[in-house]
Amino acid sequence: MKFQSTRGKAPLVSGLQALMNGLAPDGGLYVPAVFPKLDFDWERLKDASYVAIGTQVLSLFFDEFSEAEITNFLTEAYENFDYPQKVKIQELDSRKDLLELFHGPTLAFKDMALSLLPYLLTAAIQKTQHKETLVILTATSGDTGGAALNGFNNVTQTKIVVYYPSVGVSKLQRQQMTTASGKNTHVVAVTGNFDDAQKAVKQLLIDQELIQRMQARSLRFSSANSINIGRLAAQVVYYVYAYAQLVQKGRLKAGQTLDVTVPTGNFGDILAAYWAKKMGLPLGKLTVASNANHVLTDFFASGIYQADRDFKVTSSPAMDILVSSNLERLLFDLAGADSVAGWMKDLAEKQTYEIDDKTLAKLQKQFNAAFCDSAQTSQTIKKIFTENNYLLDPHTAVAVAVNENFPSPDQQLIVSTASPFKFAETVLTALGQTAAADPELNLNKLSQFSKQAVPAAIADLFTKKPVHTQKLAIKDLRADLIETLGL
Ligand SMILES: *Cc1c(COP(=O)(O)O)cnc(C)c1O
């Protein structure tokens, strides 16, 4: 299996190389040169474990690893999840199920890929006999940072650098990042939003002067953002597993269409659903759920991507994004590298681009898109708790609310991306409770109110002392990196 760049100006590479590079040298994102097809024998798959299905899917992407190796990576990566099957299907009503992806150590779906990525990356370094240490540059809107720091904590031959926006992340997300104890961690609050941080990371990753200085010190960049192909591949797995489980539970007949709604920011999670569909999974409409930063809703309606607009800090901060990276991979699939290169150039220069009608029609055939503001998000949290006695986190609540806009005869799967305890303040307020200033107190309040235990993974989080207190302007990140890495 080979991987190509969405901008068509970089050489084809192996899966191992794509994992290590993160971003392609022409600034594009890696995608499979030919999409693998899965063999869906539901009689067998409906009883298969998460690790077994994961092995089958990931072997298709990374055929340099043996199946036994991949099984080992998956087994170890998900060992400390607090749900034995790793992901949980929760029935909402007769036609809707939630896919809970937050049973990992940092309580958001980012753990699904970022617990695994260190295993893939370190094995890739070993197999390609690289002697360098990987410097994993990561921009986060809040959840990727914690999950990446946890996954790469003291992993040999890696250094993990995280930039998070100083405004917008929740207190709990901040605490998870600033208390990261690994010797290989470097965490910086940046003045700016996620888009600023992500743009800075993408520039650093292809900064030739830096890359040369790093080579001299046996260092090499990679990325833990969903620009890394390893994250996308790991995320395809749970759609296949969810489908198999729904067949197992009698919620779907083998081959029946399943619609999927995904709360979306950087377009990684929903792109993985699209890839699963391309690989043959019987998925129907894919619904892109956004918050008040509804750049994607507008794009799917008009074909005009307009990043030049006010950035809003919302109650679903992981979706506070105006430049959605992985959309590039979808556009490549529908329109090819030349079109994508042109549009991305327009985006960089003018903060906007417009796709042609033919591509727009293709998009609209496969996707729905809508958004939900913070007030509606709160109402949805309250409604679902009152009617179903089920606690939604604000990101999942956006998806549940948006899903209502698109009545369909098909069975619905709504992706649940974070534990409500990760956003206890917002959830308490939505439920009509008074939230405290102290985030630890809010965990206990939410636990008492909902009669659910605080997840063990964060039970002692607030006893830890922050060790990463640095705050920098975007323009100073490069100099800081030079100093931190001793370049
Ligand atoms: C990252 C994140 C999202 C958005 O996922 P993308 O892959 O960036 O679209 C949604 N919800 C939560 C809780 C997240 O952490």
Side-chain angles (χ1 to χ4, degrees), residues 161-220:
V161 179
V162 170
Y163 302 128
Y164 72 91
S166 59
V167 181
V169 301
S170 80
K171 286 174 187 158
L172 193 144
Q173 289 174 320
R174 182 188 301 263
Q175 181 76 1
Q176 284 179 326
M177 292 186 277
T178 57
T179 59
S181 59
K183 288 186 180 58
N184 61 340
T185 59
H186 184 62
V187 182
V188 180
V190 296
T191 42
N193 58 40
F194 170 76
D195 290 313
D196 301 323
Q198 175 162 258
K199 192 170 158 202
V201 161
K202 282 187 174 175
Q203 278 168 1
L204 291 168
L205 286 174
I206 53 172
D207 182 323
Q208 291 310 317
E209 207 238 334
L210 260 189
I211 290 171
Q212 276 171 19
R213 283 159 92 161
M214 291 185 45
Q215 270 167 2
R217 304 231 166 244
S218 209
L219 297 168
R220 178 192 167 114

Short mmCIF file of all heavy atoms in Angstrom, two decimals, residues 161-220:
data_model
loop_
_atom_site.label_atom_id
_atom_site.label_comp_id
_atom_site.label_asym_id
_atom_site.label_seq_id
_atom_site.Cartn_x
_atom_site.Cartn_y
_atom_site.Cartn_z
N VAL A 161 5.53 17.88 21.47
CA VAL A 161 5.37 19.31 21.67
C VAL A 161 3.90 19.67 21.41
O VAL A 161 3.37 19.34 20.36
CB VAL A 161 6.27 20.10 20.69
CG1 VAL A 161 6.08 21.60 20.87
CG2 VAL A 161 7.74 19.71 20.88
N VAL A 162 3.26 20.32 22.39
CA VAL A 162 1.83 20.65 22.25
C VAL A 162 1.61 22.16 22.38
O VAL A 162 2.08 22.78 23.33
CB VAL A 162 0.99 19.91 23.31
CG1 VAL A 162 -0.44 20.43 23.35
CG2 VAL A 162 0.99 18.41 23.03
N TYR A 163 0.91 22.72 21.42
CA TYR A 163 0.50 24.12 21.49
C TYR A 163 -1.01 24.19 21.66
O TYR A 163 -1.76 23.66 20.82
CB TYR A 163 0.87 24.85 20.19
CG TYR A 163 2.34 24.82 19.85
CD1 TYR A 163 2.78 24.39 18.60
CD2 TYR A 163 3.30 25.22 20.79
CE1 TYR A 163 4.14 24.36 18.28
CE2 TYR A 163 4.66 25.19 20.48
CZ TYR A 163 5.07 24.76 19.23
OH TYR A 163 6.40 24.73 18.93
N TYR A 164 -1.47 24.81 22.74
CA TYR A 164 -2.92 24.92 22.92
C TYR A 164 -3.32 26.39 23.06
O TYR A 164 -2.54 27.21 23.55
CB TYR A 164 -3.38 24.10 24.15
CG TYR A 164 -3.00 24.66 25.51
CD1 TYR A 164 -3.85 25.53 26.19
CD2 TYR A 164 -1.79 24.31 26.11
CE1 TYR A 164 -3.50 26.03 27.43
CE2 TYR A 164 -1.44 24.81 27.35
CZ TYR A 164 -2.30 25.66 28.02
OH TYR A 164 -1.95 26.16 29.24
N PRO A 165 -4.54 26.76 22.61
CA PRO A 165 -4.95 28.16 22.68
C PRO A 165 -5.17 28.58 24.13
O PRO A 165 -5.77 27.83 24.90
CB PRO A 165 -6.26 28.21 21.90
CG PRO A 165 -6.70 26.81 21.72
CD PRO A 165 -5.56 25.89 21.99
N SER A 166 -4.67 29.74 24.51
CA SER A 166 -4.77 30.15 25.92
C SER A 166 -6.22 30.45 26.30
O SER A 166 -6.57 30.40 27.46
CB SER A 166 -3.87 31.36 26.18
OG SER A 166 -4.26 32.42 25.34
N VAL A 167 -7.07 30.73 25.32
CA VAL A 167 -8.49 30.97 25.61
C VAL A 167 -9.33 29.91 24.91
O VAL A 167 -9.09 29.59 23.75
CB VAL A 167 -8.92 32.36 25.09
CG1 VAL A 167 -10.39 32.61 25.41
CG2 VAL A 167 -8.06 33.45 25.69
N GLY A 168 -10.31 29.37 25.62
CA GLY A 168 -11.24 28.44 24.98
C GLY A 168 -11.20 27.04 25.55
O GLY A 168 -12.23 26.41 25.68
N VAL A 169 -9.99 26.54 25.90
CA VAL A 169 -9.94 25.18 26.44
C VAL A 169 -10.58 25.15 27.83
O VAL A 169 -10.55 26.14 28.56
CB VAL A 169 -8.50 24.61 26.50
CG1 VAL A 169 -7.86 24.58 25.13
CG2 VAL A 169 -7.63 25.37 27.48
N SER A 170 -11.17 24.00 28.18
CA SER A 170 -11.81 23.90 29.49
C SER A 170 -10.73 23.77 30.58
O SER A 170 -9.58 23.44 30.29
CB SER A 170 -12.76 22.72 29.54
OG SER A 170 -12.05 21.51 29.76
N LYS A 171 -11.12 24.05 31.82
CA LYS A 171 -10.15 23.96 32.92
C LYS A 171 -9.59 22.56 33.04
O LYS A 171 -8.42 22.36 33.35
CB LYS A 171 -10.83 24.37 34.24
CG LYS A 171 -11.06 25.87 34.33
CD LYS A 171 -11.86 26.22 35.58
CE LYS A 171 -12.22 27.70 35.55
NZ LYS A 171 -13.38 28.00 36.40
N LEU A 172 -10.47 21.60 32.80
CA LEU A 172 -10.01 20.21 32.90
C LEU A 172 -9.03 19.87 31.79
O LEU A 172 -7.99 19.23 32.02
CB LEU A 172 -11.23 19.28 32.87
CG LEU A 172 -10.94 17.84 33.28
CD1 LEU A 172 -12.12 17.26 34.05
CD2 LEU A 172 -10.63 16.97 32.09
N GLN A 173 -9.33 20.32 30.57
CA GLN A 173 -8.40 20.07 29.46
C GLN A 173 -7.04 20.71 29.76
O GLN A 173 -5.99 20.11 29.55
CB GLN A 173 -8.96 20.67 28.16
CG GLN A 173 -10.17 19.92 27.61
CD GLN A 173 -10.77 20.63 26.40
OE1 GLN A 173 -10.86 21.86 26.39
NE2 GLN A 173 -11.20 19.88 25.42
N ARG A 174 -7.07 21.93 30.28
CA ARG A 174 -5.82 22.64 30.60
C ARG A 174 -5.03 21.86 31.64
O ARG A 174 -3.82 21.65 31.51
CB ARG A 174 -6.14 24.04 31.11
CG ARG A 174 -4.90 24.89 31.41
CD ARG A 174 -5.28 26.20 32.09
NE ARG A 174 -6.18 26.97 31.26
CZ ARG A 174 -5.81 27.96 30.45
NH1 ARG A 174 -4.54 28.30 30.37
NH2 ARG A 174 -6.68 28.61 29.73
N GLN A 175 -5.74 21.40 32.68
CA GLN A 175 -5.08 20.65 33.74
C GLN A 175 -4.44 19.36 33.20
O GLN A 175 -3.33 19.00 33.56
CB GLN A 175 -6.10 20.34 34.85
CG GLN A 175 -5.57 19.58 36.04
CD GLN A 175 -4.74 20.44 37.00
OE1 GLN A 175 -4.56 21.65 36.80
NE2 GLN A 175 -4.20 19.82 38.04
N GLN A 176 -5.16 18.69 32.29
CA GLN A 176 -4.60 17.47 31.70
C GLN A 176 -3.29 17.76 30.98
O GLN A 176 -2.34 16.99 31.04
CB GLN A 176 -5.59 16.84 30.69
CG GLN A 176 -6.75 16.11 31.36
CD GLN A 176 -7.72 15.54 30.34
OE1 GLN A 176 -7.94 16.11 29.27
NE2 GLN A 176 -8.34 14.41 30.67
N MET A 177 -3.24 18.90 30.30
CA MET A 177 -2.03 19.20 29.51
C MET A 177 -0.90 19.76 30.37
O MET A 177 0.25 19.35 30.23
CB MET A 177 -2.38 20.18 28.38
CG MET A 177 -3.27 19.55 27.33
SD MET A 177 -3.58 20.62 25.91
CE MET A 177 -4.92 21.64 26.48
N THR A 178 -1.24 20.68 31.27
CA THR A 178 -0.17 21.35 32.02
C THR A 178 0.46 20.45 33.08
O THR A 178 1.53 20.76 33.58
CB THR A 178 -0.67 22.65 32.68
OG1 THR A 178 -1.77 22.32 33.53
CG2 THR A 178 -1.10 23.68 31.66
N THR A 179 -0.20 19.34 33.42
CA THR A 179 0.37 18.43 34.41
C THR A 179 1.07 17.24 33.78
O THR A 179 1.49 16.32 34.48
CB THR A 179 -0.72 17.91 35.38
OG1 THR A 179 -1.72 17.23 34.62
CG2 THR A 179 -1.37 19.04 36.16
N ALA A 180 1.18 17.23 32.44
CA ALA A 180 1.85 16.10 31.77
C ALA A 180 3.26 15.95 32.33
O ALA A 180 4.03 16.89 32.33
CB ALA A 180 1.89 16.35 30.27
N SER A 181 3.58 14.75 32.79
CA SER A 181 4.82 14.59 33.55
C SER A 181 5.97 14.00 32.74
O SER A 181 7.10 13.99 33.20
CB SER A 181 4.55 13.71 34.77
OG SER A 181 4.06 12.46 34.30
N GLY A 182 5.69 13.49 31.54
CA GLY A 182 6.74 12.82 30.78
C GLY A 182 7.96 13.71 30.55
O GLY A 182 7.83 14.91 30.31
N LYS A 183 9.14 13.10 30.57
CA LYS A 183 10.38 13.86 30.36
C LYS A 183 10.47 14.36 28.92
O LYS A 183 11.23 15.27 28.61
CB LYS A 183 11.59 12.96 30.63
CG LYS A 183 11.78 12.67 32.09
CD LYS A 183 13.10 11.90 32.32
CE LYS A 183 13.32 11.59 33.79
NZ LYS A 183 12.18 10.81 34.35
N ASN A 184 9.71 13.75 28.03
CA ASN A 184 9.77 14.11 26.61
C ASN A 184 8.66 15.08 26.21
O ASN A 184 8.35 15.20 25.05
CB ASN A 184 9.68 12.84 25.75
CG ASN A 184 8.36 12.09 25.96
OD1 ASN A 184 7.69 12.27 26.97
ND2 ASN A 184 8.01 11.24 25.01
N THR A 185 8.06 15.76 27.19
CA THR A 185 6.92 16.64 26.86
C THR A 185 7.28 18.12 26.93
O THR A 185 8.07 18.54 27.76
CB THR A 185 5.73 16.39 27.81
OG1 THR A 185 6.14 16.64 29.16
CG2 THR A 185 5.22 14.97 27.71
N HIS A 186 6.69 18.89 26.03
CA HIS A 186 6.85 20.35 26.03
C HIS A 186 5.49 20.93 25.67
O HIS A 186 4.96 20.66 24.59
CB HIS A 186 7.91 20.75 24.99
CG HIS A 186 8.22 22.22 24.98
ND1 HIS A 186 8.76 22.88 26.06
CD2 HIS A 186 8.07 23.15 24.00
CE1 HIS A 186 8.92 24.17 25.74
NE2 HIS A 186 8.51 24.36 24.50
N VAL A 187 4.89 21.69 26.60
CA VAL A 187 3.52 22.17 26.42
C VAL A 187 3.50 23.69 26.55
O VAL A 187 4.03 24.24 27.52
CB VAL A 187 2.58 21.55 27.49
CG1 VAL A 187 1.15 22.02 27.29
CG2 VAL A 187 2.67 20.03 27.45
N VAL A 188 2.92 24.36 25.58
CA VAL A 188 2.91 25.83 25.57
C VAL A 188 1.51 26.36 25.28
O VAL A 188 0.85 25.92 24.33
CB VAL A 188 3.87 26.36 24.47
CG1 VAL A 188 3.87 27.88 24.43
CG2 VAL A 188 5.29 25.84 24.68
N ALA A 189 1.05 27.29 26.11
CA ALA A 189 -0.19 28.01 25.79
C ALA A 189 0.17 29.08 24.77
O ALA A 189 1.17 29.78 24.93
CB ALA A 189 -0.75 28.65 27.05
N VAL A 190 -0.63 29.20 23.71
CA VAL A 190 -0.33 30.24 22.72
C VAL A 190 -1.44 31.28 22.70
O VAL A 190 -2.62 30.96 22.84
CB VAL A 190 -0.11 29.67 21.30
CG1 VAL A 190 1.10 28.77 21.25
CG2 VAL A 190 -1.33 28.91 20.79
N THR A 191 -1.03 32.53 22.52
CA THR A 191 -2.05 33.57 22.36
C THR A 191 -2.55 33.48 20.93
O THR A 191 -1.78 33.61 19.98
CB THR A 191 -1.44 34.97 22.63
OG1 THR A 191 -0.16 35.00 22.00
CG2 THR A 191 -1.29 35.24 24.09
N GLY A 192 -3.81 33.16 20.80
CA GLY A 192 -4.40 32.92 19.50
C GLY A 192 -5.37 31.78 19.66
O GLY A 192 -5.55 31.26 20.75
N ASN A 193 -6.02 31.42 18.56
CA ASN A 193 -6.96 30.31 18.63
C ASN A 193 -6.37 29.07 17.98
O ASN A 193 -5.22 29.05 17.56
CB ASN A 193 -8.30 30.72 18.00
CG ASN A 193 -8.14 31.16 16.56
OD1 ASN A 193 -7.37 30.57 15.81
ND2 ASN A 193 -8.85 32.21 16.17
N PHE A 194 -7.17 28.01 17.90
CA PHE A 194 -6.67 26.76 17.33
C PHE A 194 -6.16 26.94 15.91
O PHE A 194 -5.13 26.38 15.52
CB PHE A 194 -7.75 25.67 17.36
CG PHE A 194 -7.36 24.45 16.59
CD1 PHE A 194 -6.44 23.54 17.12
CD2 PHE A 194 -7.86 24.21 15.32
CE1 PHE A 194 -6.05 22.43 16.39
CE2 PHE A 194 -7.47 23.09 14.59
CZ PHE A 194 -6.56 22.20 15.12
N ASP A 195 -6.89 27.71 15.12
CA ASP A 195 -6.49 27.89 13.72
C ASP A 195 -5.09 28.49 13.61
O ASP A 195 -4.29 28.07 12.78
CB ASP A 195 -7.49 28.79 12.99
CG ASP A 195 -8.83 28.11 12.80
OD1 ASP A 195 -8.85 26.95 12.37
OD2 ASP A 195 -9.86 28.75 13.09
N ASP A 196 -4.81 29.47 14.48
CA ASP A 196 -3.47 30.08 14.47
C ASP A 196 -2.42 29.03 14.81
O ASP A 196 -1.35 28.96 14.18
CB ASP A 196 -3.41 31.22 15.50
CG ASP A 196 -4.45 32.30 15.23
OD1 ASP A 196 -4.70 32.59 14.05
OD2 ASP A 196 -5.02 32.84 16.20
N ALA A 197 -2.72 28.22 15.82
CA ALA A 197 -1.75 27.21 16.25
C ALA A 197 -1.55 26.15 15.17
O ALA A 197 -0.42 25.73 14.88
CB ALA A 197 -2.23 26.56 17.55
N GLN A 198 -2.66 25.72 14.54
CA GLN A 198 -2.54 24.68 13.51
C GLN A 198 -1.76 25.20 12.31
O GLN A 198 -0.93 24.50 11.72
CB GLN A 198 -3.93 24.20 13.07
CG GLN A 198 -3.87 23.21 11.92
CD GLN A 198 -5.14 22.38 11.73
OE1 GLN A 198 -5.22 21.24 12.11
NE2 GLN A 198 -6.14 22.98 11.11
N LYS A 199 -1.99 26.44 11.95
CA LYS A 199 -1.28 27.03 10.82
C LYS A 199 0.22 27.09 11.13
O LYS A 199 1.06 26.75 10.29
CB LYS A 199 -1.84 28.43 10.57
CG LYS A 199 -1.40 29.05 9.28
CD LYS A 199 -2.20 30.32 9.02
CE LYS A 199 -1.44 31.21 8.06
NZ LYS A 199 -1.86 32.61 8.14
N ALA A 200 0.54 27.52 12.36
CA ALA A 200 1.95 27.60 12.76
C ALA A 200 2.60 26.23 12.70
O ALA A 200 3.73 26.08 12.19
CB ALA A 200 2.05 28.18 14.18
N VAL A 201 1.91 25.21 13.17
CA VAL A 201 2.47 23.85 13.14
C VAL A 201 2.73 23.40 11.71
O VAL A 201 3.80 22.88 11.38
CB VAL A 201 1.53 22.85 13.88
CG1 VAL A 201 1.85 21.42 13.48
CG2 VAL A 201 1.67 23.02 15.38
N LYS A 202 1.75 23.65 10.83
CA LYS A 202 1.93 23.21 9.43
C LYS A 202 3.13 23.92 8.79
O LYS A 202 3.84 23.34 7.98
CB LYS A 202 0.66 23.47 8.63
CG LYS A 202 -0.44 22.44 8.87
CD LYS A 202 -1.59 22.70 7.91
CE LYS A 202 -2.65 21.63 7.98
NZ LYS A 202 -3.80 21.97 7.11
N GLN A 203 3.34 25.19 9.16
CA GLN A 203 4.49 25.92 8.60
C GLN A 203 5.80 25.36 9.14
O GLN A 203 6.76 25.17 8.39
CB GLN A 203 4.38 27.41 8.91
CG GLN A 203 3.46 28.12 7.91
CD GLN A 203 3.08 29.52 8.33
OE1 GLN A 203 3.50 30.00 9.39
NE2 GLN A 203 2.26 30.19 7.53
N LEU A 204 5.83 25.09 10.45
CA LEU A 204 7.05 24.56 11.05
C LEU A 204 7.41 23.20 10.46
O LEU A 204 8.58 22.90 10.21
CB LEU A 204 6.89 24.44 12.57
CG LEU A 204 6.81 25.76 13.35
CD1 LEU A 204 6.36 25.52 14.79
CD2 LEU A 204 8.16 26.47 13.33
N LEU A 205 6.39 22.38 10.20
CA LEU A 205 6.63 21.02 9.71
C LEU A 205 7.34 21.00 8.36
O LEU A 205 8.00 20.01 8.02
CB LEU A 205 5.30 20.24 9.59
CG LEU A 205 4.64 19.77 10.88
CD1 LEU A 205 3.27 19.15 10.59
CD2 LEU A 205 5.51 18.76 11.61
N ILE A 206 7.17 22.07 7.57
CA ILE A 206 7.85 22.08 6.26
C ILE A 206 8.88 23.22 6.17
O ILE A 206 9.28 23.63 5.10
CB ILE A 206 6.84 22.15 5.08
CG1 ILE A 206 5.86 23.31 5.25
CG2 ILE A 206 6.07 20.85 4.94
CD1 ILE A 206 4.97 23.53 4.03
N ASP A 207 9.33 23.69 7.33
CA ASP A 207 10.34 24.75 7.39
C ASP A 207 11.73 24.13 7.12
O ASP A 207 12.31 23.46 7.97
CB ASP A 207 10.28 25.38 8.80
CG ASP A 207 11.24 26.54 8.98
OD1 ASP A 207 12.36 26.48 8.44
OD2 ASP A 207 10.87 27.48 9.71
N GLN A 208 12.24 24.37 5.87
CA GLN A 208 13.45 23.65 5.44
C GLN A 208 14.67 23.97 6.30
O GLN A 208 15.47 23.09 6.59
CB GLN A 208 13.76 23.95 3.96
CG GLN A 208 12.74 23.33 3.00
CD GLN A 208 12.48 21.85 3.26
OE1 GLN A 208 13.41 21.08 3.51
NE2 GLN A 208 11.22 21.43 3.24
N GLU A 209 14.77 25.20 6.74
CA GLU A 209 15.94 25.56 7.55
C GLU A 209 15.92 24.82 8.88
O GLU A 209 16.93 24.27 9.33
CB GLU A 209 15.96 27.09 7.76
CG GLU A 209 17.35 27.64 7.97
CD GLU A 209 17.49 28.38 9.29
OE1 GLU A 209 16.47 28.88 9.80
OE2 GLU A 209 18.61 28.42 9.83
N LEU A 210 14.75 24.80 9.49
CA LEU A 210 14.60 24.07 10.76
C LEU A 210 14.89 22.58 10.57
O LEU A 210 15.60 21.96 11.37
CB LEU A 210 13.16 24.18 11.26
CG LEU A 210 12.80 25.18 12.34
CD1 LEU A 210 11.37 24.93 12.80
CD2 LEU A 210 13.75 25.06 13.53
N ILE A 211 14.33 22.04 9.48
CA ILE A 211 14.49 20.61 9.22
C ILE A 211 15.97 20.26 9.10
O ILE A 211 16.43 19.25 9.63
CB ILE A 211 13.69 20.21 7.94
CG1 ILE A 211 12.19 20.28 8.27
CG2 ILE A 211 14.07 18.82 7.45
CD1 ILE A 211 11.27 20.13 7.07
N GLN A 212 16.75 21.15 8.46
CA GLN A 212 18.19 20.87 8.33
C GLN A 212 18.90 20.93 9.67
O GLN A 212 19.74 20.09 9.97
CB GLN A 212 18.82 21.84 7.34
CG GLN A 212 18.64 21.34 5.91
CD GLN A 212 19.05 22.35 4.88
OE1 GLN A 212 19.78 23.29 5.17
NE2 GLN A 212 18.57 22.17 3.67
N ARG A 213 18.54 21.94 10.46
CA ARG A 213 19.16 22.03 11.78
C ARG A 213 18.81 20.81 12.61
O ARG A 213 19.62 20.32 13.41
CB ARG A 213 18.70 23.30 12.50
CG ARG A 213 19.41 24.54 11.96
CD ARG A 213 18.65 25.79 12.27
NE ARG A 213 19.06 26.40 13.54
CZ ARG A 213 18.81 27.68 13.84
NH1 ARG A 213 18.18 28.46 12.99
NH2 ARG A 213 19.19 28.19 14.98
N MET A 214 17.60 20.31 12.45
CA MET A 214 17.18 19.13 13.20
C MET A 214 17.95 17.90 12.75
O MET A 214 18.39 17.11 13.57
CB MET A 214 15.68 18.92 13.05
CG MET A 214 14.93 20.02 13.78
SD MET A 214 13.18 19.87 13.84
CE MET A 214 12.85 18.21 14.25
N GLN A 215 18.12 17.77 11.43
CA GLN A 215 18.86 16.62 10.90
C GLN A 215 20.25 16.53 11.53
O GLN A 215 20.72 15.45 11.89
CB GLN A 215 18.99 16.71 9.38
CG GLN A 215 17.84 16.02 8.68
CD GLN A 215 17.77 16.36 7.20
OE1 GLN A 215 18.62 17.09 6.67
NE2 GLN A 215 16.76 15.83 6.53
N ALA A 216 20.86 17.69 11.68
CA ALA A 216 22.21 17.71 12.27
C ALA A 216 22.20 17.19 13.70
O ALA A 216 23.22 16.74 14.21
CB ALA A 216 22.76 19.14 12.22
N ARG A 217 21.08 17.26 14.35
CA ARG A 217 20.96 16.75 15.73
C ARG A 217 20.20 15.43 15.80
O ARG A 217 19.73 15.03 16.86
CB ARG A 217 20.23 17.76 16.60
CG ARG A 217 20.84 19.11 16.62
CD ARG A 217 21.04 19.59 18.04
NE ARG A 217 21.91 20.73 18.04
CZ ARG A 217 23.10 20.75 18.60
NH1 ARG A 217 23.56 19.70 19.22
NH2 ARG A 217 23.84 21.83 18.54
N SER A 218 20.03 14.81 14.62
CA SER A 218 19.34 13.53 14.56
C SER A 218 17.89 13.62 15.07
O SER A 218 17.41 12.76 15.80
CB SER A 218 20.12 12.50 15.37
OG SER A 218 19.91 11.24 14.85
N LEU A 219 17.25 14.71 14.68
CA LEU A 219 15.84 14.90 15.04
C LEU A 219 15.02 14.98 13.76
O LEU A 219 15.54 15.41 12.71
CB LEU A 219 15.65 16.20 15.82
CG LEU A 219 16.35 16.33 17.17
CD1 LEU A 219 16.29 17.77 17.66
CD2 LEU A 219 15.71 15.39 18.18
N ARG A 220 13.76 14.63 13.85
CA ARG A 220 12.91 14.62 12.66
C ARG A 220 11.47 14.89 13.07
O ARG A 220 10.98 14.35 14.05
CB ARG A 220 13.07 13.23 12.07
CG ARG A 220 12.28 12.93 10.89
CD ARG A 220 12.35 11.42 10.64
NE ARG A 220 11.33 11.13 9.67
CZ ARG A 220 11.57 10.70 8.43
NH1 ARG A 220 12.79 10.44 8.05
NH2 ARG A 220 10.59 10.51 7.59
#
